[in-house]
Amino acid sequence: MRPPILRRLFRRVASAAALGLLAATLSTTAAATPAAAAGGLQQVTGFGSNPGNLQMYAYTPAGLPANAPLVVALHGCTQTASAYYTNSGWPKFADTWGFSVVFPQTTSANNSLSCFGWFDPAEDTRGKGEAASIVQMVEYAKQQYGSDGRRVYVTGLSAGGGMTADLLAAYPDVFAGGSVASGLPAQCATSQAAASGCQTGPQKLSPAQWGDKVRAAHPGYSGPWPRVAIWQGTSDYTVYPANATALRDQWTDVWGIGQTPSSTDTLPGNTTRSVYDDASGNPAVETYSVSGMGHGLPVSPGTGDQQCGTTAAYFLSAICSTYYTGVFWGLDGGTPGGGGDQLPAPGGVRATGTTDTTVSLSWNAVQGAASYAVYRNGSKIASPTATTYTDTGLTAGTAYRYTVAAVDSAGTAGTASTQVTATTTGGSTPATCYTATNYAQVTAGRAHTSGGYVYANGSNQNMGLYNVFVTHTLKESPAGYFVIADSGCATG
């Protein structure tokens, strides 16, 4: 990651001899020259304007048909594209299941430890720096390899994991899924100074606040969202397990589902998998907690169908994370997130009216639908046969999130609609207004930052730059939901 991480690692080494070995290992790796073509790994030049000064390496199995999926795999600090190609296991499944893999590489010219800039708004935001270079690699692969633009996925370890989360937030229209291994939630830090704090313990934000950081990365985008796998060792003292929890909170909130798992099971390597289903009952977010594992990507050397990779620095023997990630995405030929043929999502979902205790909804009919499933805050509440529904017994002055899925004659729910939020009228608590600088609003917990800008909690309205020179009035109603009210703030 960044130098503070390595200093923390050095302090944790038990003896001077071990310290010398670790320092020598990291020094040798950090000084590595750009990855040379290794076996089937080939360097690609001229893939675009490359604003992030990255190098592109790619592996494409022989005879790969057009419209095959594409995986982008991001190495960790002090690593190279060649090391990730050799140890991660992605080439094995590219051959088995049929897809291309792009291995972006940053170098010490960008960062002294060859870390991707997951903490730098000039590198990890939409249209900027390294993030833009990676998307240019995707476009190159679509044109040159015939990769299917609907099935592009990104995965990464450590700093590469942090960049993966940022890419999923900034480019949800590019990536259908992601996998973050020992990484950070999207936009956890927006400066190098804040990076170390994220690693050891991210901010204690609510799921909605974490979700707002994703929504702010591509304002106006309303889905579909990427399916996200989260891998974390319980004994990781470089990127602490609290980051996996924050990632879980962030992406379940983006999907509009709760933080209670739909199911939990045990996998090889002392791994616990928790699955969080979307409104259609298909996995949207999965967490994989590897008991006793430190900082690294879990691999499982061997020739078995569910084994992969080789052990090396930060490639740790436990379980083949690449296999389970690929199955989660549907690279093995299954439907991403599970399920079979599905009815499409209903369009035009909207709230047609509210009272203090009800919300009325309507949507467009879906051909082949025998009924519809209506979900409130991620939980199914009704199965109407019509294209309208009124939700009753609600609390006044409260915001509710709704999605709708078409259900076929066999009872299978299709893809969930875009989420719509409706707020009931009334409420016993009057609105409260706060006038303060953007800095003070953030400090007081009424707003949050992303990419150097401030956004009101709840409404996610852009308040401008994060400083003490910009002042806004925020109106709070209902509790925890703030809107800009500079022109006047009635509190009755």
Side-chain angles (χ1 to χ4, degrees):
M1 308 285 288
R2 302 298 297 172
I5 289 182
L6 299 181
R7 288 198 293 270
R8 290 186 62 84
L9 282 173
F10 293 159
R11 287 198 296 268
R12 292 181 180 276
V13 177
S15 68
L19 174 58
L21 177 61
L22 177 59
T25 300
L26 294 178
S27 175
T28 300
T29 310
T33 57
L41 184 66
Q42 300 295 324
Q43 184 170 10
V44 177
T45 58
F47 59 84
S49 60
N50 193 17
N53 190 35
L54 299 181
Q55 296 171 0
M56 176 180 178
Y57 292 84
Y59 175 68
T60 301
L64 192 68
N67 295 317
L70 173 69
V71 172
V72 177
L74 303 174
H75 63 77
C77 293
T78 76
Q79 294 181 327
T80 63
S82 180
Y84 218 73
Y85 167 86
T86 300
N87 300 304
S88 66
W90 281 109
K92 170 180 176 174
F93 294 105
D95 290 336
T96 303
W97 293 334
F99 56 87
S100 297
V101 190
V102 166
F103 295 88
Q105 179 172 289
T106 189
T107 68
S108 57
N110 285 6
N111 177 276
S112 61
L113 293 174
S114 298
C115 305
F116 288 102
W118 59 272
F119 48 82
D120 186 350
E123 301 293 347
D124 68 353
T125 53
R126 189 176 178 91
K128 300 288 184 67
E130 294 176 351
S133 289
I134 292 168
V135 171
Q136 287 180 357
M137 296 179 196
V138 171
E139 290 303 313
Y140 179 93
K142 289 162 59 177
Q143 295 172 16
Q144 298 299 315
Y145 311 146
S147 299
D148 186 351
R150 299 166 301 174
R151 294 187 292 166
V152 180
Y153 307 90
V154 60
T155 180
L157 166 65
S158 193
M163 181 61 82
T164 292
D166 290 338
L167 285 166
L168 293 172
Y171 293 99
D173 51 336
V174 173
F175 298 102
S179 180
V180 181
S182 298
L184 300 303
Q187 296 301 319
C188 182
T190 55
S191 68
Q192 179 176 338
S196 183
C198 280
Q199 293 153 201
T200 56
Q203 296 171 281
K204 291 179 173 59
L205 301 181
S206 68
Q209 289 172 320
W210 280 120
D212 285 346
K213 289 179 178 290
V214 172
R215 289 181 281 269
H218 186 16
Y221 183 79
S222 59
W225 295 102
R227 299 184 184 275
V228 182
I230 301 159
W231 291 86
Q232 181 71 48
T234 63
S235 298
D236 189 339
Y237 301 114
T238 301
V239 175
Y240 279 38
N243 286 280
T245 301
L247 277 160
R248 187 272 318 266
D249 290 353
Q250 183 171 65
W251 289 100
T252 52
D253 180 78
V254 167
W255 272 87
I257 56 182
Q259 287 72 54
T260 300
S262 306
S263 63
T264 301
D265 60 349
T266 301
L267 300 178
N270 295 317
T271 302
T272 300
R273 173 172 57 187
S274 298
V275 180
Y276 301 81
D277 289 343
D278 64 15
S280 301
N282 294 322
V285 177
E286 292 189 349
T287 62
Y288 299 80
S289 177
V290 186
S291 179
M293 190 182 79
H295 186 64
L297 181 74
V299 297
S300 177
T303 59
D305 292 343
Q306 299 180 16
Q307 291 182 290
C308 72
T310 55
T311 56
Y314 308 117
F315 295 96
L316 308 179
S317 182
I319 181 175
C320 176
S321 57
T322 298
Y323 169 81
Y324 288 94
T325 295
V327 171
F328 173 58
W329 290 340
L331 295 178
D332 62 336
T335 300
D341 294 334
Q342 295 181 329
L343 292 174
V349 178
R350 56 201 175 276
T352 57
T354 59
T355 69
D356 57 348
T357 59
T358 67
V359 171
S360 296
L361 304 167
S362 69
W363 54 90
N364 300 337
V366 173
Q367 185 174 1
S371 63
Y372 298 89
V374 179
Y375 300 85
R376 181 210 306 136
N377 296 342
S379 298
K380 184 177 177 180
I381 58 170
S383 300
T385 56
T387 57
T388 60
Y389 176 73
T390 298
D391 192 15
T392 61
L394 305 177
T395 302
T398 303
Y400 294 94
R401 305 188 304 272
Y402 294 92
T403 56
V404 180
V407 180
D408 63 21
S409 58
T412 302
T415 304
S417 70
T418 299
Q419 179 178 284
V420 62
T421 300
T423 303
T424 51
T425 60
S428 58
T429 303
T432 304
C433 300
Y434 305 89
T435 300
T437 68
N438 279 357
Y439 176 83
Q441 299 281 26
V442 171
T443 301
R446 297 185 287 267
H448 59 277
T449 63
S450 179
Y453 288 85
V454 174
Y455 298 86
N457 289 345
S459 69
N460 208 41
Q461 291 176 308
N462 191 329
M463 299 166 58
L465 293 172
Y466 180 41
N467 58 37
V468 296
F469 306 108
V470 179
T471 297
H472 283 294
T473 296
L474 292 181
K475 178 179 178 179
E476 182 181 18
S477 181
Y481 191 95
F482 297 87
V483 296
I484 299 174
D486 293 340
S487 60
C489 189
T491 59

